[in-house]
């Protein structure tokens, strides 16, 4: 997803994720987008959300 001359994004595990649980989500910020991936599949698909979509996604993801 990132061009060869762009460094790999820095991924941060969600505070809602646990080491034991099946719900492990990581996020990374890149210019103009927030990336979301399953930490159990780091080379798998990534969801790229723009700022407005990210703001809409947060309440859904946190259950609020």
């Amino acid at each position: 997803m990132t061009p060869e001359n762009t460094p790999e994004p820095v991924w941060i595990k969600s505070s809602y994720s646990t080491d034991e649980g099946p719900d492990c989500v990581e996020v990374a910020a890149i210019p103009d987008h927030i990336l979301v991936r399953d930490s159990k599949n780091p080379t798998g698909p990534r969801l790229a959300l723009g700022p407005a979509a990210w703001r809409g996604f947060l309440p859904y993801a946190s259950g609020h």
Side-chain angles (χ1 to χ4, degrees), residues 22-45:
D23 301 322
C24 300
V25 176
E26 294 179 321
V27 296
I30 61 171
D32 301 322
H33 287 89
I34 301 295
L35 302 176
V36 182
R37 73 178 182 185
D38 181 346
S39 65
K40 295 180 303 307
N41 187 10
T43 60

Side-chain angles (χ1 to χ4, degrees), residues 14 16 27 34 36 49 51-64:
S14 167
Y16 288 91
V27 296
I34 301 295
V36 182
L49 301 169
W54 178 247
R55 282 190 299 277
F57 175 75
L58 284 178
Y60 171 78
S62 68
H64 295 114

